[in-house]
Amino acid sequence: MTTGAQGGNEAVSGSRRLMLLLAAAMFVLVVDTSLMNVSISAVITDLDTTASGVQSAIALEALVSAAFILINSKVGDLIGRKRAYVLGLLAYAIGALAMTLAQSLTAIIIFWAIIGGLGASLLLPAMQSLIHGNFSGSAQTQAYAMVGAAAAIAAAIGPLLGGFVTTYLSWRVGFGLEVLIIAIVLSQIGLVKDVPYTGDRQVDVVGAILSVIGMGGVVLGILVWQEGGEFVGLLMVLGAVALWLLARWLIRRKREQQVTLLDPDLFRHPTFTAGVTGQMMQQVALGGAMIALPLFLQMTLEYDALEAGLSLAPLSLTMFAAALVAGRRAGGRRPAAIIRMGFVLVSIGIAVIIPFVPRVDSGWYLVVPLAVTGSGLGLLVSQLNNYTLAPVEEERVSEAAGVNSAAGSFGLSFGLAMAGGLMLAALSFSFTHMTENSEVIPAAEQQQIAKVLEHDAEVMSNSQLEKRITGQPAAVEAEVVSINNDARNRSLQIALLVPLLAGLIGIGNSLRMLRLPDRKPSAPLEGMDLG
């Protein structure tokens, strides 16, 4: 009896340790982007690059993860979920290590955005399968809850942690800590039991290619436009056509009873379709806000990383608190009604922030609207996952969760790219227009400044600009700084229209949800959508 009890205690201890390790891996995935957001100014200075370049890297990382998550879910099935989990962690570690050593933006794009993004797309579906296969009953529910809580905590404290590390140590130290955590997780990989795949091993190659071209083309088109490149329209049209062809291809393959990248019948559930749309709009809103707000704090108010992190804390902390409270105390309220309220609060919060941008000189003025926005996002986080997956049969929940994660990641990358692209386009137009109409700047210099900005627009603080225009008459320098201040703030306001519009579309989509009957989940769904 004693030996059996001891063995049982060891099993429980091992299970809890495995839960903690999986939660640590999820914590790293989520906190990673927060580090980049609050460190934008420091990265720009250290690497002698531009805000648009860093924005592009952040959007590209989210895009790669979204574009390959469905494919890499199948790759994980074929090579083994445990192996996919290890490869995903190693790829993410390579990206984080590159951030600690990188001397150029190119290294960040290759190793952090592309290799790290591929790692995330391998890791997330593999982690979901491993949790499902390594735990059962109440332990499985606890594991999902612990991993989900780790993601929520990382989102809440990420800006604060990143701001502290960047200000008092270095932004590179934060990514070095990520490598250390991943090394600890991998050192205990023996605790993970592989989960064999018994399904069809055929691969829908055409569907996989179309999905990458579709999502990649749309967002890459925006990123190319943001950087002033060519063939923008061609890339976006190519992406849109590929997505349309993907839909037709999946329907045809399903009709012929062939293997499909994803089951198109999932979208026959109006609740699932409305939920995926809501998930996408939530992430578009979050992506747009997390590009514009850190830039406002670091470029307009010239805050350091810690001050920026503290200023964003009302958003992240209320998001965490609202998700926790709403998840536990929703009571008899309809999920669709809570989702509608979430999008209403997001829209109100962003709408209040927009006119504040050119008028405030402290982050304190943003505390209330950021708290309102965060509360709205928290309500959405608490309900959208369960609402979306509720109509799906138990044996297909994992596949549906993967689609939901891909939609969310695509929405995040689209929001990041679109807000950044609109911001730089508005900056270039505003600066050029105001420069050409200035009565202080000489006509010859007006044309030179306008030409440079048209091809190389970037968000700069007044201090950064003052270092670049030395040697000009005092009146001209003051005029250029004034124009930069006005144009930058106007461009940030336009960027914030992206999350505002996403919130308004979300409200419209939630009204559709209210007309649909509520569905009870066919299986416990806590933490199923890990992405």
Side-chain angles (χ1 to χ4, degrees):
M1 290 293 289
T2 304
T3 302
Q6 184 178 352
N9 289 335
E10 288 177 357
V12 170
S13 175
S15 295
R16 287 176 179 168
R17 190 153 34 124
L18 178 55
M19 288 181 196
L20 287 172
L21 292 168
L22 292 169
M26 178 55 69
F27 181 89
V28 167
L29 287 177
V30 177
V31 83
D32 186 76
T33 302
S34 294
L35 285 174
M36 279 295 282
N37 283 329
V38 298
S39 304
I40 287 177
S41 182
V43 175
I44 291 171
T45 301
D46 284 2
L47 300 185
D48 191 24
T49 185
T50 63
S52 65
V54 178
Q55 293 164 33
S56 296
I58 295 172
L60 185 61
E61 194 270 348
L63 170 62
V64 171
S65 176
F68 286 91
I69 195 167
L70 294 175
I71 303 168
N72 281 342
S73 177
K74 186 66 175 180
V75 169
D77 293 340
L78 298 177
I79 69 173
R81 276 69 176 267
K82 183 176 179 178
R83 185 174 296 163
Y85 176 71
V86 171
L87 290 174
L89 282 173
L90 287 173
Y92 220 77
I94 289 171
L97 182 61
M99 294 297 290
T100 67
L101 303 173
Q103 300 300 313
S104 70
L105 183 63
T106 303
I108 291 178
I109 289 175
I110 294 173
F111 294 103
W112 182 77
I114 297 178
I115 294 179
L118 287 171
S121 67
L122 265 175
L123 184 59
L124 288 169
M127 186 183 296
Q128 186 167 277
S129 297
L130 290 174
I131 292 174
H132 196 72
N134 280 262
F135 303 94
S136 60
S138 61
Q140 186 182 98
T141 302
Q142 185 181 357
Y144 274 124
M146 188 176 292
V147 173
I153 292 170
I157 70 169
L160 295 172
L161 178 63
F164 178 84
V165 171
T166 300
T167 300
Y168 292 107
L169 297 171
S170 167
W171 58 274
R172 298 178 187 273
V173 172
F175 292 99
L177 291 174
E178 289 185 17
V179 177
L180 178 61
I181 293 173
I182 292 173
I184 293 171
V185 172
L186 287 174
S187 72
Q188 301 295 307
I189 195 64
L191 292 173
V192 179
K193 179 185 69 177
D194 203 0
V195 180
Y197 176 67
T198 57
D200 197 321
R201 302 186 71 83
Q202 295 183 44
V203 179
D204 180 6
V205 177
V206 174
I209 293 172
L210 287 174
S211 70
V212 173
I213 295 174
M215 288 188 282
V218 172
V219 177
L220 278 178
I222 300 171
L223 293 177
V224 170
W225 167 53
Q226 177 176 307
E227 292 297 315
E230 300 178 352
F231 308 112
V232 172
L234 179 61
L235 281 170
M236 297 185 72
V237 169
L238 179 64
V241 170
L243 288 174
W244 179 80
L245 289 174
L246 174 63
R248 303 296 302 171
W249 172 260
L250 293 175
I251 293 170
R252 174 186 164 188
R253 295 274 291 185
K254 179 71 175 180
R255 190 184 303 125
E256 295 174 352
Q257 297 185 334
Q258 305 261 352
V259 173
T260 57
L261 178 68
L262 59 94
D263 189 349
D265 285 348
L266 286 172
F267 295 94
R268 293 185 183 275
H269 297 290
T271 301
F272 179 79
T273 304
V276 166
T277 303
Q279 177 85 345
M280 192 180 300
M281 289 303 106
Q282 177 212 350
Q283 293 297 320
V284 170
L286 181 61
M290 294 313 293
I291 275 295
L293 292 174
L295 282 174
F296 169 69
L297 295 167
Q298 294 177 70
M299 297 299 172
T300 296
L301 301 186
E302 302 200 33
Y303 280 0
D304 62 27
L306 180 58
E307 291 169 325
L310 288 170
S311 297
L312 290 172
L315 175 72
S316 56
L317 294 177
T318 54
M319 181 177 171
F320 173 66
L324 192 65
V325 172
R328 293 181 176 179
R329 301 186 180 181
R333 297 178 182 85
R334 295 187 63 191
I338 298 175
I339 291 169
R340 178 186 59 181
M341 179 54 65
F343 278 116
V344 167
L345 290 177
V346 169
S347 301
I348 290 173
I350 296 296
V352 171
I353 291 172
I354 290 175
F356 275 19
V357 166
R359 296 176 174 85
V360 301
D361 57 3
S362 169
W364 284 106
Y365 292 99
L366 303 182
V367 169
V368 173
L370 283 176
V372 170
T373 305
S375 297
L377 290 170
L379 293 180
L380 296 175
V381 168
S382 74
Q383 302 297 317
L384 273 173
N385 181 37
N386 281 357
Y387 180 91
T388 304
L389 302 181
V392 181
E393 297 83 356
E394 183 174 358
E395 62 272 13
R396 300 170 66 195
V397 164
S398 182
E399 179 186 9
V403 174
N404 196 33
S405 294
S409 295
F410 175 74
L412 180 65
S413 62
F414 183 87
L416 289 164
M418 181 58 75
L422 287 174
M423 179 175 61
L424 290 177
L427 179 68
S428 176
F429 176 82
S430 299
F431 209 136
T432 301
H433 178 74
M434 286 188 277
T435 299
E436 290 177 344
N437 287 279
S438 172
E439 296 180 356
V440 177
I441 302 174
E445 294 187 21
Q446 287 178 6
Q447 295 176 1
Q448 183 180 1
I449 292 173
K451 184 177 180 180
V452 169
L453 284 170
E454 186 176 353
H455 293 88
D456 192 28
E458 61 175 288
V459 177
M460 284 188 288
S461 67
N462 289 345
S463 297
Q464 290 173 329
L465 183 61
E466 287 169 357
K467 294 177 182 178
R468 296 195 178 190
I469 56 173
T470 55
Q472 297 291 328
V476 172
E477 289 186 9
E479 177 75 356
V480 172
V481 169
S482 175
I483 289 173
N484 177 66
N485 193 60
D486 293 341
R488 182 188 59 231
N489 288 336
R490 185 176 300 176
S491 69
L492 289 167
Q493 287 180 300
I494 290 174
L496 285 169
L497 292 177
V498 171
L500 176 60
L501 182 59
L504 295 175
I505 294 174
I507 293 173
N509 185 62
S510 67
L511 296 178
R512 176 191 172 201
M513 291 178 173
L514 286 168
R515 293 193 294 269
L516 298 172
D518 291 334
R519 303 289 295 269
K520 291 186 177 181
S522 58
L525 300 176
E526 290 301 322
M528 281 296 289
D529 185 18
L530 300 180

